[in-house]
Amino acid sequence: MMNKQNNSSQLLPPNLSHLLRKSCGLIGLGASLLALTNLASAACTYTVDNEWSTGYTASITVKNDTNTAVNNWSVNWQYGSNRMAGGWNANFSGNNPYTATNMSWNGNIAAGQSVSFGFQVNKNGGSAERPTINGSLCGAVAASSSSRASVAPSSAPASSSPASSVAVSSSGYSVPANNFAQNGGVESGLTNWGTTAATITRSTADKRSGSASALISGRTAAWHGLTFAVGSLTSGNQYDAAVWVKLAPGTPDSVVTLTAKRLDDSDTSTYNEYTHVATITASSSEWRLLQGYYTQLGATAFQHFIIEATDTSISYYADDFSVGGQVVQPPASSSSSSSSSSAQTCELKAPLRWTSTAPLISPKNPGWASIKDPSIVKFNGTYHVYATYYDTSYKSMYTSFTDWNNAQQAPHISMNGSRVGNAVAPQVFFFRPHNKWYLITQWPGTYATTDDIRNPNWSAKQRLLQGEPNGALDFWVICNDTHCYLYFSRDDGVLYMSKTTIANFPNFSGYTVVMRDNRGNGSQYLFEAPNVYKLDGQNKYLLLVEAWPSGPRMFRSWTSTSLDGPWTPLADTDANPFAGNNNVEWPSGKWSDGISHGELVRSGYDERLTVDPCNLEFLYQGKAGNGATYDLIPYKLGLLRIKK
């Protein structure tokens, strides 16, 4: 990471009915349904998402209950003792009361649709407050009393997809052009339709289109539902799932949900196989759309979608099931998301040449002197960046964006005071065997986890390496099919490594020396910030280590067919670096003296850390000037792109 001196919204808790069914029956379901009914009718809702002793993260969902689209929205709220500490996906102003207005990309809300934004709140010695939300779309609606902090998490990491809960009776939804659902209209008997329990029939008594629909009757439990099979889904891909539902004649309005189900596995957590997709309040007087987004993740295969009702005895129809998305399986060598160069394979050969952007992410919050040490993950079309900043000490921040051109406009959210605290020099990835995101950090080496990469409140940190040596920093994890490897530096001219099995991760113990370079004063040629990646389409790994020769900082590189080595030099000198002043062009003008701590933009997002050698991009910290001390050097983040 750094030598410190120059001389060295989900409306329904994830699959509550399944969790209750398999673990504790239906006790307490009535209270949950009451909360759901209130949420379903609310135009603006305030939800506490994750809570810890001194603060929490919350989200506000703004729903357009009018009959026409809304262009631009604004809401406001006020606390007693709580105070907002930062937010995302909205423009914020005011200081209790607070006002949130739309950003450029989420200002339009179609009739019946909703948008959500989030923020972090300090309790200031009080409890988590749930204020009333005011605004033209809100009316006199009380805040939701539900909290998602105590419910079972989804087995898949939350994505940055559009809001997944839609309650509309109009036909404004368009079926995706790449819809691959077969017999979603129930025209070919009950092919692909089924039930978890109760009775399913092909009914011609009511249908939204065509000649028939699927009817479930004889239900005696909330989990009794209709199922719809679509075959295998590709891990890492997002799917638009939709179905129209209608309650049997004479049935009062009731909550209906859409759930994605993976095959049962051997873990003891029932809910890990289920992911909530969407919720509506269904009616017997009209067909209503149940639509949301689902991302298939992990090695457990997809089984089917389930349409359920929280009222344990009602009957209902379903028709016109559609699923849009990519179903082509990626190559076996690819990671959790598809590579940007599908069939092409590129060999990395020295000398390498790069072009650099101007600074893309610079300090903009009051008192921040620098932003550095970035970890970047591209997930579901959104770039998620965790990084270090310095004000009066080293702290951590999070930002996200979908376009590099808009990176600076995105909120910079401080993690200071959150449950995880400050995660300096972070590394972030999704660990498939645990279905969780992991954050690796230092001082000492620790890890934290979350189910939602968008939420900067991770779990409390836990020790990563038993027997960690003094001065260890810049910890880096990468895994193959059987083991996970932990690389780190000590600013002593040595690269270190620890190793553990997949089953034992994240517990590391002891360490060995990978390589040593005692040229110069013995500490500069293998300095810090090690990175290791798997090259797409090749049985080859790429190792990068920051060096600090007599001039500005740069990166050296090696390759190997094994994470155990041996490592063969690729571009590893000041004159022929992996990335440094001597092989970077600056079309917008040279703004950084050297290339320092950064990460390659990965083609996947899981623990295998795959990169596409044909389209390498490197997010780095650039030295944009001098500071009175090392801490005050105005580091900014820029992007290198490989020249072909």
Side-chain angles (χ1 to χ4, degrees):
M1 167 250 175
M2 55 185 85
N3 183 337
K4 300 303 174 295
Q5 300 176 359
N6 270 322
N7 62 354
S8 41
S9 105
Q10 187 166 299
L11 296 183
L12 182 69
N15 216 46
L16 178 61
S17 60
H18 294 286
L19 182 60
L20 291 170
R21 166 167 60 92
K22 291 193 176 183
S23 59
C24 59
L26 295 176
I27 297 173
L29 187 57
S32 298
L33 297 187
L34 177 60
L36 288 172
T37 301
N38 291 337
L39 280 171
S41 62
C44 296
T45 57
Y46 182 105
T47 303
V48 174
D49 296 318
N50 284 283
E51 184 175 355
W52 57 99
S53 59
T54 60
Y56 60 94
T57 56
S59 57
I60 292 176
T61 299
V62 182
K63 180 170 175 286
N64 179 9
D65 271 341
T66 71
N67 295 322
T68 58
V70 169
N71 289 307
N72 300 322
W73 49 265
S74 175
V75 297
N76 62 83
W77 68 100
Q78 186 171 6
Y79 299 110
S81 60
N82 292 184
R83 291 296 183 268
M84 182 176 160
W88 50 95
N89 292 340
N91 293 308
F92 298 94
S93 60
N95 185 15
N96 201 43
Y98 301 99
T99 297
T101 58
N102 60 273
M103 303 185 77
S104 60
W105 52 268
N106 64 359
N108 183 276
I109 313 177
Q113 301 278 346
S114 61
V115 298
S116 297
F117 60 91
F119 43 93
Q120 183 174 320
V121 181
N122 293 328
K123 292 181 182 177
N124 291 326
S127 58
E129 300 176 30
R130 294 167 173 82
T132 298
I133 311 303
N134 301 301
S136 60
L137 293 179
C138 301
V141 178
S144 162
S145 61
S146 66
S147 172
R148 286 181 281 182
S150 60
V151 301
S154 164
S155 61
S159 72
S160 54
S161 63
S164 61
S165 297
V166 183
V168 296
S169 57
S170 65
S171 57
Y173 175 75
S174 297
V175 174
N178 58 356
N179 171 37
F180 58 86
Q182 300 295 315
N183 195 36
V186 206
E187 302 306 307
S188 301
L190 290 172
T191 301
N192 289 328
W193 289 89
T195 179
T196 55
T199 302
I200 180 175
T201 55
R202 182 177 184 270
S203 174
T204 57
D206 204 343
K207 60 272 185 185
R208 179 179 176 268
S209 66
S211 59
S213 64
L215 170 67
I216 187 170
S217 58
R219 299 173 61 253
T220 59
W223 60 272
H224 293 178
L226 293 167
T227 65
F228 188 77
V230 294
S232 62
L233 299 182
T234 302
S235 180
N237 285 357
Q238 184 188 81
Y239 298 90
D240 181 342
V243 62
W244 293 80
V245 296
K246 185 177 181 181
L247 303 183
T251 305
D253 287 5
S254 187
V255 174
V256 177
T257 65
L258 180 63
T259 300
K261 169 71 166 62
R262 288 181 291 280
L263 293 173
D264 288 330
D265 55 31
S266 59
D267 66 41
T268 58
S269 300
T270 299
Y271 58 81
N272 278 348
E273 289 83 45
Y274 300 88
T275 301
H276 170 259
V277 177
T279 297
I280 63 165
T281 299
S283 170
S284 63
S285 62
E286 63 179 353
W287 287 88
R288 290 184 176 176
L289 178 64
L290 182 59
Q291 181 267 336
Y293 296 84
Y294 168 67
T295 299
Q296 171 71 12
L297 290 171
T300 305
F302 182 78
Q303 185 174 1
H304 52 224
F305 290 98
I306 309 173
I307 309 161
E308 306 169 288
T310 52
D311 189 314
T312 62
S313 61
I314 64 171
S315 302
Y316 49 92
Y317 302 93
D319 199 3
D320 294 335
F321 207 117
S322 63
V323 182
Q326 177 59 257
V327 295
V328 176
Q329 295 292 333
S333 59
S334 71
S335 187
S336 297
S337 61
S338 55
S339 169
S340 56
S341 63
S342 55
Q344 185 181 10
T345 299
C346 298
E347 290 289 339
L348 289 181
K349 296 182 179 180
L352 302 172
R353 303 294 300 175
W354 304 85
T355 59
S356 175
T357 65
L360 297 177
I361 302 176
S362 303
K364 66 178 183 179
N365 290 0
W368 290 21
S370 63
I371 296 179
K372 57 191 305 182
D373 315 323
S375 183
I376 180 168
V377 177
K378 188 175 184 181
F379 176 63
N380 272 358
T382 297
Y383 294 100
H384 301 270
V385 175
Y386 284 83
T388 305
Y389 74 89
Y390 185 86
D391 50 13
T392 58
S393 62
Y394 286 101
K395 300 182 176 71
S396 307
M397 57 85 71
Y398 164 73
T399 187
S400 64
F401 46 88
T402 57
D403 190 314
W404 287 109
N405 293 325
N406 300 326
Q408 184 63 15
Q409 285 69 50
H412 292 176
I413 303 166
S414 173
M415 297 165 67
N416 190 41
S418 68
R419 179 170 51 183
V420 69
N422 289 309
V424 177
Q427 182 205 10
V428 175
F429 58 89
F430 184 70
F431 189 62
R432 294 171 300 145
H434 294 174
N435 278 333
K436 287 185 178 295
W437 293 96
Y438 271 78
L439 181 150
I440 308 299
T441 184
Q442 66 182 43
W443 298 339
T446 55
Y447 69 89
T449 64
T450 187
D451 295 296
D452 187 347
I453 191 175
R454 302 168 301 176
N455 188 340
N457 179 44
W458 296 64
S459 67
K461 291 181 284 192
Q462 298 187 59
R463 197 64 181 255
L464 183 66
L465 174 61
Q466 301 303 315
E468 175 185 325
N470 293 333
L473 48 74
D474 291 349
F475 294 90
W476 181 272
V477 171
I478 182 173
C479 307
N480 57 25
D481 292 338
T482 60
H483 289 81
C484 291
Y485 294 73
L486 175 66
Y487 296 85
F488 62 93
S489 300
R490 295 176 65 197
D491 288 350
D492 61 353
V494 181
L495 177 63
Y496 300 89
M497 184 265 286
S498 185
K499 179 179 177 181
T500 192
T501 63
I502 289 282
N504 194 47
F505 178 82
N507 302 301
F508 291 90
S509 179
Y511 56 92
T512 60
V513 171
V514 178
M515 61 176 69
R516 184 188 306 268
D517 191 333
N518 292 318
R519 288 180 296 169
N521 63 13
S523 65
Q524 309 303 309
Y525 282 85
L526 280 176
F527 189 48
E528 52 192 27
N531 288 209
V532 190
Y533 305 92
K534 174 70 168 60
L535 299 182
D536 279 338
Q538 303 176 43
N539 182 31
K540 186 177 292 185
Y541 292 93
L542 173 66
L543 165 65
L544 313 178
V545 181
E546 182 180 335
W548 190 5
S550 56
R553 301 194 192 191
M554 57 88 168
F555 274 90
R556 303 172 66 191
S557 60
W558 299 259
T559 61
S560 177
T561 58
S562 170
L563 288 170
D564 292 299
W567 295 95
T568 301
L570 171 65
D572 73 327
T573 66
D574 194 13
N576 179 31
F578 178 80
N581 275 2
N582 287 329
N583 67 339
V584 172
E585 299 174 7
W586 313 81
S588 301
K590 189 174 186 297
W591 63 272
S592 172
D593 189 19
I595 306 297
S596 190
H597 194 134
E599 277 194 18
L600 289 172
V601 180
R602 296 168 236 161
S603 57
Y605 50 82
D606 65 35
E607 75 282 356
R608 293 171 291 184
L609 306 189
T610 57
V611 294
D612 176 11
C614 301
N615 298 281
L616 290 182
E617 294 181 320
F618 189 63
L619 183 65
Y620 70 98
Q621 66 178 39
K623 184 181 178 183
N626 296 314
T629 65
Y630 176 85
D631 296 337
L632 296 177
I633 292 175
Y635 279 107
K636 303 177 181 181
L637 303 185
L639 187 70
L640 299 181
R641 293 186 172 100
I642 195 76
K643 291 190 69 174
K644 301 177 182 179

